[in-house]
Amino acid sequence: MTYVRNAWYVAAWSHELEAEKPFAITILGERIVIWRTATGGLNALEDRCVHRLAPLSLGRCEGERLRCMYHGLLFDAGGQVVEIPGQDLIPAKARVRAYAVVERHSWIWVWMGEAGAADPDLIPPAVGLDDPDYILGHGQLDYAAEARLINDNLLDFSHLTFVHAKSFGSGPQFAQTQGTITPLERGVRYERWTENSLGSSSRKSATPMDNFMAYDFLIPGVLLMTGGIFPLGTAKACGYKAPDLSTAVGGVTFTSQAVTPLGDKSARYFFSWGPHRAHGDEAVRDALMVMADQAFGEDKVMIEAQQRVIEATPEPKVMPTAHDRGLIMFNRLVEKEAARAQSAA
Amino acid sequence: MTYVRNAWYVAAWSHELEAEKPFAITILGERIVIWRTATGGLNALEDRCVHRLAPLSLGRCEGERLRCMYHGLLFDAGGQVVEIPGQDLIPAKARVRAYAVVERHSWIWVWMGEAGAADPDLIPPAVGLDDPDYILGHGQLDYAAEARLINDNLLDFSHLTFVHAKSFGSGPQFAQTQGTITPLERGVRYERWTENSLGSSSRKSATPMDNFMAYDFLIPGVLLMTGGIFPLGTAKACGYKAPDLSTAVGGVTFTSQAVTPLGDKSARYFFSWGPHRAHGDEAVRDALMVMADQAFGEDKVMIEAQQRVIEATPEPKVMPTAHDRGLIMFNRLVEKEAARAQSAA
Amino acid sequence: MTYVRNAWYVAAWSHELEAEKPFAITILGERIVIWRTATGGLNALEDRCVHRLAPLSLGRCEGERLRCMYHGLLFDAGGQVVEIPGQDLIPAKARVRAYAVVERHSWIWVWMGEAGAADPDLIPPAVGLDDPDYILGHGQLDYAAEARLINDNLLDFSHLTFVHAKSFGSGPQFAQTQGTITPLERGVRYERWTENSLGSSSRKSATPMDNFMAYDFLIPGVLLMTGGIFPLGTAKACGYKAPDLSTAVGGVTFTSQAVTPLGDKSARYFFSWGPHRAHGDEAVRDALMVMADQAFGEDKVMIEAQQRVIEATPEPKVMPTAHDRGLIMFNRLVEKEAARAQSAA
């Protein structure tokens, strides 16, 4: 399992963090407690008291601080112990790791790498639930599978034809052709025109049109996808490049998806989806969410089964196909970034 | 755990395999998908796609072929990939293992050894549910225990006196005496006369009679048992050898039982049982099945508890008793056959 | 996990052992069967038949003996096999370990060390449910945690202020000050006066009084605690030593608690609690039990969470505080006693 540590990982939805209620999550195997103070600030610490290793997430918020509720050690936002009941002297080593944490696009992002490199500009430009242009629903799923397998799934959309034949309704021809894949600094871009088509379940048209879809898949595992329906001939007129989405005649939606590795064999999958205000309303959003729940359930069945097969295989080996180009490009980038951070350390 | 690989293992009941519905089972730790084609043929493949290790058992039957429903690779009955969506060239190495599979005696048998040695004549002569002579009920149980422990149980019937005191009703004297044990080419034969007896729960008589029971226990773990009630003096008249069952005055039944190792500590136990048409009807069959369900539940409690004790014991050692003669004979045969296959390989 | 083997461990409540019903428990990872004979005697054996390792706890009591109900081997109270069905000769090695077992103070105590050293005088002086002076309720809890963590909890009562803020109602000042800790031959003694106080939930007074509490924590993990309410000035008049409890004006209770390690990460916690007859009745007892159930549930949540953090920590290290003095004293004693037994062996 190779992951880029110098990256922002989605830890929760904004609304999951109520004021002064510590929230526990494990990311990349590290137990983290995040809490929102009464004044709205966000803090994140290693979720393990220095005293006897009780989880701080069972603790009590006191102003900007968090008290371990086993024997009462009090931690400041930087992870330093500032009070030990019944003891005057506080050892300097009485501290736990603090994590940079940022709230943006309706998600709580935690930086898992070296503290000095935590640059909020590296947070992927997801679309938040409060975005004025989109009407978004949202959900999440826990996987009994390595996050990498979910990333792989999202990097090869040829599975739509098979896994999602009934939900997304992409026909057999979808898997017969390739999209255009372009490397990005922190990910890959996938773009695809389907000409003269009635679309799929989420992007239908009454008469044949040109259909566009595109997504960026970004480190550590964030998918940002949009698309739309265009008049016949648009694809060709654009030279099969990305169109101006504001010229779409319908079907413009946006989905933000984030895959967070919890442990070696578990992951949390966050997603939002909905139409552009110009192309849909709450009813369209609700229909898309029904479709998403069905489809992501289909992925979960397949990926968790795949995980079990891999675990039961002494030396698991894959055999890449033509559709794995984006997946391979992304995974090489991950390996490179992970190696670079390690050699710098 | 030593098992003979060059053997036919029961994977399922015939009726469990519906046309074009892939069936998944793990035998000796190997994940296998079996499917019945629309034309009635049976195929069995390694249940693991060559591409990204998704289970083929989540796939779709297409004629004689099976399509992986993750990214659409299509496998023929021999395990060769014959189609990769979006890719023209198919690597020769794109294949999975195919298993010989035979339907016989209402069971689906899979050959776990070297393909060249798969000889259907080695399938034990079980009695199928459609046998004209017997009226059979059937059932199955999954064990959280090593298959070997179930084999051992079936190879030492002295446990009837203790484990099954209430169900089969074999009295204390049953465990005091031994049957006759004879080696077979692929197993052992157990035969036993009980003279001047009112029988046990499944083979009762109103007045004292001579009672006969016999079973073969065959590689890899198949028990085939019969018996009957005979007039007083028959045992002696036969010289305590096996009688002609067609001369029995009652109590002739047949039971076929198969123990299939799933993983290291799990097994599936298949069984059928019922009276000969001349000695019983559907009501007798139903009464026997009630008895079997109770008794096999008693075995399961004991054997799964035994498994837990063994797992919790650093260096488990057994101390054989006089009743273990058949068990030891069979297990030595297993060791010998397993070693022979290995040295031949 | 270091534990003193030369010690009496609580295996059960007296009333859990019905005549001729074998009782199974695992202590320090050893599976033990205990049974009460029809004449009232108690026997304890290794719970593993010498034949094929079936658990004797599934067996049948026959007089002073226990029969394995798999293949019928009969064991005497000393662990020797005295009957093997169908076999005349009984090997001398056909025996399992016998454990010394004593019923005292409503508990069944099993000696886990060398047989020769089993001295009933080492049984801690717990107060039994039938004690004429106290009206006791009782209960038990199974922990998914190492017993040591529960011992540690009971050896540092500063956690009362935090874990039990709502149940026992010890205020913040409780954790600010220390009790007096004295080494005992097989444990530690904790004593504490709280002057001019209205007490805690279990020992309240209408006007400020002097409040005393004291407990011994004894090998292998037995807590015996009492205390009471005294007129203002008593603490000082006693020189802050232990008072004569018969002079208390109220609040005298007794609690006996025992922590038994089952396996590496599991433990059983037995407890009784109630008022002295002079200071309470059945209603007081019931109120204390409600409080205990709530408080011990709070401990369980914290300790099992602590166990999970420890398991997820590659090299767990603690940082002792001033309140850990009793805990460190006891754990050093355990290490010393365990080492002494080992070097003597």
Side-chain angles (χ1 to χ4, degrees):
Chain A
M1 185 172 71
T2 302
Y3 293 100
V4 177
R5 299 194 69 87
N6 275 352
W8 294 95
Y9 285 81
V10 173
W13 290 101
S14 281
H15 57 258
E16 285 186 277
L17 273 138
E18 298 176 55
E20 306 206 310
K21 296 208 174 161
F23 177 90
I25 189 166
T26 298
I27 303 180
L28 291 173
E30 298 182 14
R31 299 170 81 97
I32 299 171
V33 56
I34 310 173
W35 77 98
R36 192 191 290 284
T37 66
T39 57
L42 275 178
N43 299 314
L45 296 180
E46 184 183 345
D47 190 13
R48 175 173 32 226
C49 184
V50 292
H51 176 217
R52 302 209 154 265
L53 297 91
L56 301 182
S57 52
L58 290 180
R60 182 171 67 198
C61 296
E62 300 187 359
E64 299 298 309
R65 296 159 163 182
L66 182 62
R67 188 183 293 279
C68 177
M69 284 302 275
Y70 199 171
H71 301 95
L73 278 71
L74 185 65
F75 293 80
D76 70 16
Q80 177 63 44
V81 174
V82 293
E83 189 187 315
I84 301 177
Q87 179 174 327
D88 293 331
L89 213 71
I90 296 168
K93 65 165 187 177
R95 58 159 51 249
V96 296
R97 178 175 174 190
Y99 293 83
V101 55
V102 170
E103 182 167 16
R104 192 175 288 181
H105 314 311
S106 304
W107 277 333
I108 307 296
W109 304 79
V110 173
W111 179 259
M112 297 300 295
E114 5 156 16
D119 177 2
D121 286 351
L122 292 176
I123 294 176
V127 171
L129 302 180
D130 55 353
D131 188 278
D133 290 340
Y134 291 92
I135 303 170
L136 299 172
H138 72 280
Q140 72 187 66
L141 273 178
D142 275 4
Y143 268 79
E146 188 183 339
R148 167 86 170 249
L149 298 183
I150 311 175
N151 290 352
D152 287 354
N153 170 282
L154 295 171
L155 282 156
D156 176 4
F157 264 35
S158 74
H159 79 272
L160 264 66
T161 295
F162 306 100
V163 177
H164 305 307
K166 288 173 191 167
S167 51
F168 288 141
S170 310
Q173 78 292 349
F174 191 91
Q176 294 301 338
T177 49
Q178 311 279 352
T180 303
I181 294 163
T182 326
L184 302 174
E185 201 183 338
R186 303 263 300 174
V188 298
R189 174 162 295 168
Y190 176 95
E191 291 166 310
R192 170 175 192 144
W193 278 102
T194 309
E195 293 174 274
N196 194 22
S197 156
L198 297 174
S200 62
S201 304
S202 66
R203 196 167 286 140
K204 268 186 198 157
S205 53
T207 56
M209 306 286 270
D210 282 0
N211 210 299
F212 180 72
M213 64 170 286
Y215 66 84
D216 289 354
F217 195 82
L218 302 168
I219 284 174
V222 174
L223 177 141
L224 305 175
M225 179 160 65
T226 186
I229 299 169
F230 294 82
L232 274 179
T234 307
K236 202 169 182 182
C238 289
Y240 299 98
K241 305 265 183 211
D244 177 356
L245 277 178
S246 71
T247 66
V249 298
V252 175
T253 69
F254 202 96
T255 177
S256 304
Q257 304 180 10
V259 181
T260 298
L262 304 177
D264 273 7
K265 292 171 186 173
S266 57
R268 189 160 294 168
Y269 175 50
F270 302 89
F271 58 89
S272 67
W273 195 19
H276 191 281
R277 286 194 178 280
H279 300 151
D281 53 13
E282 280 73 11
V284 170
R285 175 200 63 196
D286 293 347
L288 290 178
M289 289 314 290
V290 168
M291 203 182 295
D293 285 343
Q294 182 184 346
F296 298 159
E298 291 163 347
D299 284 321
K300 185 171 151 82
V301 166
M302 183 60 79
I303 292 169
E304 292 186 342
Q306 181 194 14
Q307 171 78 45
R308 288 192 296 272
V309 175
I310 289 171
E311 282 176 47
T313 304
E315 294 177 31
K317 276 186 200 113
V318 301
M319 189 202 79
T321 69
H323 278 295
D324 286 327
R325 209 157 63 82
L327 185 163
I328 289 166
M329 193 184 288
F330 181 81
N331 285 335
R332 279 193 189 144
L333 178 65
V334 166
E335 299 284 350
K336 205 182 70 182
E337 287 294 312
R340 194 172 68 176
Q342 203 148 21
S343 71
Chain B
M1 185 171 73
T2 301
Y3 293 100
V4 177
R5 299 194 68 88
N6 275 351
W8 295 96
Y9 286 80
V10 174
W13 289 100
S14 281
H15 57 258
E16 286 186 277
L17 274 138
E18 298 176 56
E20 307 206 311
K21 296 209 174 161
F23 177 91
I25 190 166
T26 298
I27 302 180
L28 291 174
E30 297 182 15
R31 300 170 81 98
I32 298 170
V33 55
I34 309 172
W35 76 98
R36 190 190 292 283
T37 66
T39 57
L42 274 177
N43 299 315
L45 295 181
E46 184 183 346
D47 190 12
R48 176 173 31 227
C49 184
V50 292
H51 175 218
R52 301 210 154 264
L53 298 88
L56 301 181
S57 52
L58 291 180
R60 183 172 67 199
C61 297
E62 301 187 359
E64 300 298 309
R65 296 160 165 182
L66 182 62
R67 187 182 295 278
C68 177
M69 283 303 273
Y70 198 171
H71 301 95
L73 278 70
L74 185 65
F75 293 79
D76 70 15
Q80 178 63 46
V81 174
V82 293
E83 188 187 317
I84 301 178
Q87 179 174 327
D88 293 331
L89 213 71
I90 295 169
K93 65 166 185 176
R95 57 160 51 251
V96 296
R97 179 175 174 190
Y99 293 83
V101 54
V102 169
E103 182 167 17
R104 191 175 291 179
H105 313 311
S106 304
W107 277 333
I108 307 297
W109 305 79
V110 173
W111 180 260
M112 297 300 295
E114 6 156 14
D119 176 2
D121 285 351
L122 292 175
I123 294 176
V127 171
L129 302 181
D130 55 353
D131 188 277
D133 290 339
Y134 291 93
I135 304 169
L136 299 172
H138 72 283
Q140 72 187 67
L141 272 179
D142 275 4
Y143 268 79
E146 189 183 337
R148 167 86 169 250
L149 298 182
I150 310 174
N151 290 352
D152 286 355
N153 171 281
L154 294 170
L155 283 155
D156 175 5
F157 265 34
S158 75
H159 78 272
L160 264 67
T161 297
F162 306 100
V163 177
H164 305 307
K166 289 172 190 167
S167 51
F168 288 141
S170 308
Q173 78 291 348
F174 191 91
Q176 295 302 336
T177 48
Q178 312 280 352
T180 303
I181 293 163
T182 325
L184 303 175
E185 200 183 340
R186 304 262 299 174
V188 298
R189 176 164 293 170
Y190 176 96
E191 291 167 309
R192 169 175 193 145
W193 278 102
T194 309
E195 294 175 273
N196 193 21
S197 156
L198 297 174
S200 61
S201 304
S202 67
R203 195 167 287 138
K204 269 186 198 156
S205 53
T207 56
M209 305 287 269
D210 283 359
N211 211 299
F212 180 72
M213 63 172 286
Y215 66 85
D216 289 354
F217 194 82
L218 303 168
I219 286 175
V222 174
L223 176 141
L224 305 175
M225 179 160 66
T226 187
I229 299 169
F230 294 82
L232 275 179
T234 308
K236 201 169 182 182
C238 288
Y240 300 97
K241 305 263 182 210
D244 177 356
L245 277 178
S246 70
T247 67
V249 298
V252 175
T253 68
F254 202 97
T255 177
S256 305
Q257 305 180 11
V259 180
T260 298
L262 305 177
D264 272 9
K265 293 170 184 174
S266 57
R268 189 159 293 167
Y269 176 49
F270 303 88
F271 58 89
S272 66
W273 196 18
H276 192 281
R277 287 192 178 279
H279 300 149
D281 52 14
E282 280 73 10
V284 169
R285 174 201 63 194
D286 293 347
L288 291 177
M289 289 314 291
V290 166
M291 202 182 295
D293 285 342
Q294 182 184 347
F296 298 159
E298 291 162 347
D299 284 320
K300 184 171 151 82
V301 166
M302 183 60 79
I303 291 169
E304 292 186 342
Q306 181 193 15
Q307 172 78 46
R308 287 191 297 271
V309 175
I310 290 171
E311 282 176 46
T313 303
E315 294 178 31
K317 278 187 200 112
V318 300
M319 188 201 81
T321 68
H323 278 297
D324 287 326
R325 209 159 61 83
L327 185 162
I328 289 166
M329 194 185 285
F330 182 79
N331 285 334
R332 280 195 187 141
L333 178 65
V334 165
E335 300 284 349
K336 205 182 70 182
E337 288 295 312
R340 194 172 70 176
Q342 203 149 22
S343 71
Chain C
M1 186 171 74
T2 302
Y3 293 100
V4 177
R5 299 193 68 88
N6 274 353
W8 295 95
Y9 285 81
V10 173
W13 289 99
S14 280
H15 57 257
E16 286 186 277
L17 275 139
E18 298 176 55
E20 306 205 312
K21 295 209 175 163
F23 177 90
I25 190 166
T26 299
I27 302 179
L28 291 173
E30 297 182 16
R31 301 170 80 97
I32 299 169
V33 56
I34 309 172
W35 77 98
R36 192 191 292 283
T37 65
T39 57
L42 275 177
N43 299 314
L45 295 180
E46 184 184 346
D47 190 12
R48 176 173 31 227
C49 185
V50 293
H51 176 217
R52 301 209 155 264
L53 299 90
L56 301 181
S57 52
L58 291 180
R60 181 172 68 198
C61 297
E62 300 187 0
E64 300 297 308
R65 296 161 164 181
L66 182 62
R67 187 182 295 279
C68 177
M69 284 302 274
Y70 198 172
H71 301 95
L73 279 70
L74 185 65
F75 294 80
D76 70 16
Q80 178 63 46
V81 174
V82 293
E83 187 187 318
I84 301 177
Q87 179 175 326
D88 293 331
L89 213 70
I90 296 169
K93 65 165 186 176
R95 58 159 51 250
V96 296
R97 179 175 173 190
Y99 293 84
V101 54
V102 170
E103 181 167 18
R104 190 176 290 180
H105 314 311
S106 305
W107 276 334
I108 307 298
W109 305 79
V110 172
W111 179 260
M112 296 301 295
E114 6 156 14
D119 176 4
D121 285 350
L122 292 176
I123 293 177
V127 171
L129 302 180
D130 54 352
D131 188 277
D133 290 339
Y134 291 92
I135 303 170
L136 298 171
H138 72 281
Q140 72 187 65
L141 273 178
D142 275 3
Y143 269 78
E146 189 184 337
R148 167 86 170 249
L149 298 183
I150 311 175
N151 290 352
D152 287 353
N153 171 281
L154 295 171
L155 283 155
D156 175 5
F157 264 35
S158 74
H159 79 272
L160 264 67
T161 296
F162 306 101
V163 177
H164 305 308
K166 288 173 191 167
S167 51
F168 288 142
S170 309
Q173 78 291 348
F174 191 90
Q176 293 302 337
T177 50
Q178 312 280 352
T180 303
I181 293 163
T182 325
L184 303 173
E185 201 184 337
R186 303 266 296 175
V188 297
R189 174 163 295 170
Y190 176 96
E191 291 167 309
R192 169 172 194 148
W193 278 102
T194 309
E195 295 175 271
N196 193 22
S197 158
L198 298 174
S200 62
S201 305
S202 68
R203 196 167 286 139
K204 268 187 199 156
S205 52
T207 57
M209 304 287 269
D210 283 359
N211 211 299
F212 180 72
M213 64 170 286
Y215 67 83
D216 289 354
F217 194 82
L218 303 167
I219 285 174
V222 174
L223 176 141
L224 305 174
M225 179 160 65
T226 187
I229 298 169
F230 295 82
L232 275 180
T234 308
K236 202 168 182 182
C238 288
Y240 299 98
K241 306 266 183 210
D244 177 354
L245 276 177
S246 71
T247 67
V249 298
V252 175
T253 69
F254 202 96
T255 176
S256 305
Q257 304 180 10
V259 180
T260 298
L262 304 177
D264 273 7
K265 293 171 186 173
S266 57
R268 189 159 293 169
Y269 175 50
F270 302 88
F271 58 89
S272 67
W273 195 18
H276 191 281
R277 287 194 177 277
H279 300 150
D281 52 13
E282 280 73 11
V284 169
R285 175 202 62 197
D286 293 347
L288 291 178
M289 289 315 290
V290 167
M291 202 181 297
D293 285 342
Q294 182 184 346
F296 299 158
E298 291 162 348
D299 284 321
K300 185 172 152 81
V301 166
M302 182 61 78
I303 292 169
E304 292 185 342
Q306 181 193 14
Q307 171 79 46
R308 288 192 296 271
V309 175
I310 290 170
E311 282 176 46
T313 303
E315 294 177 31
K317 278 187 198 111
V318 301
M319 188 201 79
T321 68
H323 277 297
D324 286 326
R325 209 157 63 82
L327 184 162
I328 289 166
M329 194 184 286
F330 181 80
N331 285 335
R332 279 195 188 141
L333 178 66
V334 166
E335 300 284 348
K336 204 182 71 182
E337 288 294 314
R340 194 172 69 176
Q342 203 149 22
S343 72

